[in-house]
Amino acid sequence: MVNNSTKAERSMQPVVELRSDATGYTYGIRAPRAGGVVPPVSFNEGGFVGLADCLLHVARGMGANFSRVYVRLEGHCVGEHDIAALLDDPDLVAAELVAAHRASKAKPEPVRVERLTDDLLR
């Protein structure tokens, strides 16, 4: 017998889109089929004071059907996470997501070709 969680995970990979606004955090859920086109957000919820509160709400809503979720924060992919981790310690996961988001926005300093050539000739 296949449980609902396994069956749902084979056919869809949920993506949660987290965004901050003037009042706190909102999230939207996308449920693309494996290897398929990414559909528009199919569910939105908002008004969460903190990111951890938002994550806990996501986990409670998805935990019965999925064990993992892809997470995007402010439009940047910040990885795939276990729903159980969101339930167990949403504050820790929120801190990890913020750190991953900051890292994704950091851009290395561009290196000029002339400088590389000068370095090689020395």
Side-chain angles (χ1 to χ4, degrees):
M1 180 173 170
V2 176
N3 69 32
N4 288 340
S5 178
T6 304
K7 190 175 180 181
E9 287 185 49
R10 273 195 225 128
S11 62
M12 288 185 265
Q13 176 57 58
V15 177
V16 63
E17 304 270 351
L18 302 163
R19 296 214 178 259
S20 60
D21 60 22
T23 61
Y25 282 88
T26 63
Y27 74 87
I29 302 289
R30 296 177 188 272
R33 297 209 175 271
V37 176
V38 178
V41 170
S42 59
F43 179 81
N44 286 301
E45 186 84 29
F48 299 97
V49 175
L51 183 55
D53 295 328
C54 189
L55 291 171
L56 186 57
H57 195 269
V58 167
R60 286 178 177 158
M62 298 182 71
N65 295 310
F66 298 96
S67 62
R68 298 181 62 76
V69 62
Y70 281 103
V71 181
R72 294 177 53 85
L73 179 59
E74 305 295 348
H76 294 271
C77 183
V78 289
E80 185 179 24
H81 295 273
D82 288 331
I83 296 290
L86 276 65
L87 287 167
D88 292 342
D89 198 346
D91 291 310
L92 176 64
V93 176
E96 291 172 353
L97 295 178
V98 169
H101 179 254
R102 285 184 182 138
S104 74
K105 290 175 40 177
K107 295 181 181 176
E109 181 182 325
V111 178
R112 290 186 16 230
V113 174
E114 297 84 18
R115 190 174 116 207
L116 286 174
T117 304
D118 291 345
D119 290 346
L120 290 172
L121 293 175
R122 289 185 193 161

